[in-house]
Each structure stands twice: as structure tokens, then as C-alpha cells.
Amino acid sequence: MKLEVAALTDRGLRRAVNEDALFAADPCFIVADGMGGHDQGAAASRAAISAFSEAFTAPREATMQQIEAALDEAKRRVQAISERSERGAGCTLTGAIRIEHQGQPHWYVLNVGDSRVYLQRGGRLQQLTTDHSLQSELFAEGDSQAASTPRNIITRALGSTDDEHDAWLLPVEAGSRLLVCSDGLSSEISDVEIETVLAEGGEPAMLTAELVRRTLAAGGRDNISVIVLEVVSGGVAAQASESAGEDAEWATLEITRPGSR
């Protein structure tokens, strides 16, 4: 399997400190967005990411057991920081980790909070994760107040009372791309603009730079973290998923049902 990946994080134009952290090395591609004040937010996101960077140091497929252990360790480290802070501390955690499932390579897509993972295939873009935010939950309920609700009210995060993660399995498919990003990107530029950038093609390094450039041009009000990952070869052949039906290319196996307890 051949993967090409680029990762970029930027403080943005309004924040004094970059509270985002990321790790992008096969098999783990993950972003954390810190909360709780400059120092504590940065410490929380770094602590969460360190649990994964220490667990996945070699380019080999992970196991679900390893991922769960890394998640538990990340939660423990962030909680310890939160307990030492008067204001508390926490972070979102979102990404994709390469595993084997039923003899085939898959992405284990995980999410806590409102950072996001997108899939881009054949010029089409789909958000794979579900935002854990009050606005997103109100939209899902059809509440008329959803549009006027601030997007940055998070309902789940590491370091909070609700740190449950959602997870899905997605086949690794040649020719597809994954975008992992903090909400500093998705809150500034639309999914349509993200789709346009990714559809233009180019190396992942060019795409990450262009996405950050556009986000800064749109205001850059938050920290920005972006990982673009392209499956150059290997994995499931595109025609194999297409032969399974029109919707097969977007099919995921849900491990933890969003909103379930």
C-alpha cells in the first residue's frame, strides 16, 4: 500500500497560542483541538496526541485493542491536566487509523467533539464524522433555534463528563482521500469550497497549504489544523466497491452509534 500524506497546523490570525496538535504517520492520522485557556488547552491536545504517537510508531496496521488502549490513555492524560486546572481543560479528538478488518484494510474513523474527518472520492466529498455540538444536535432535532445557536458549544470532549467517542469502519480504497481537520478550518470555509480544493487535485502538501491559505483569507479566527491523506495504491480497488452498488462507496460500519449510551 502506498500512502501520501501532508499535515499543517497554523495559529491563525486571532489567537495568541496554537492549542491544536496533530500526528500524521502511518497508520495513525489524528487531530486534537484544545480547550480551557491558552496553556491548558495546548497541554490537553498535546497530551491526547502523545498517547497515540507513542502507541503507533511504526507503519503497520493497528488493532482495535491498540486503538482502545490509546484512547483510554489519552482520556486519562487529559483528565489529569483538567483536574490540575482551576478552569478545567479538554480537547476534541478526531482522526483515522489503518487497521485490518475481515482480511481487508480499513480506516477506523473516530471522533469526540467537533473536529472532522471527510472522505473525498471521484470529486465528491462526504463528512464521515458527526459534530458533537449543541448546534448540530439542535439541527438533528429540527429545532428552529439551531441556526442561531453558536457552533462552538461542544457537547462531548476529552476532559469533560462526556468523553465517549463515535467510531466507524471504512474500507481503504485506492484513489480516495481523507481530510482530517479541526473546526478552525470547517468553521471558516464551506464544505463546497473544501470539495472544490480537493477536486482540483495535486499533491497533499499543495492541498493542505491551499486549504490553510483560504481559511486565513476568510478570517482565520481560530487555530487551523489539516491532514490530507491520499491512498495512491493498495487497499480495495475502486471498481470492486462500485460493483457492489451505487451507495457502496460511502458505506461505513458503525462501531459506536452516535448519541447512544
Side-chain angles (χ1 to χ4, degrees), residues 23 25-28 50-60 62 66:
F23 178 67
D26 190 32
C28 181
S50 69
F52 285 84
S53 63
E54 293 168 13
F56 303 108
T57 57
R60 62 176 182 270
Q66 289 172 324

Side-chain angles (χ1 to χ4, degrees), residues 77-93:
R77 294 182 184 187
V78 173
Q79 188 61 41
I81 292 170
S82 180
E83 290 172 356
R84 295 195 300 265
S85 171
E86 290 184 5
R87 295 179 56 187
C91 67
T92 68
L93 186 70

Side-chain angles (χ1 to χ4, degrees), residues 197-237:
V197 172
L198 294 179
E200 289 174 352
E203 300 292 324
M206 296 172 56
L207 298 174
T208 55
E210 178 63 12
L211 287 168
V212 171
R213 185 194 70 77
R214 291 190 181 214
T215 304
L216 293 172
R221 288 168 287 188
D222 199 354
N223 307 142
I224 311 154
S225 290
V226 184
I227 301 172
V228 174
L229 167 66
E230 181 171 358
V231 184
V232 178
S233 61
V236 178

Side-chain angles (χ1 to χ4, degrees), residues 170-185:
L170 176 76
V172 177
E173 185 178 89
S176 63
R177 286 196 186 100
L178 291 181
L179 166 65
V180 185
C181 65
S182 62
D183 72 316
L185 175 81

Side-chain angles (χ1 to χ4, degrees), residues 239-254:
Q239 59 267 30
S241 67
E242 289 169 356
S243 66
E246 182 179 352
D247 296 329
E249 62 194 83
W250 307 114
T252 60
L253 173 63
E254 196 172 304

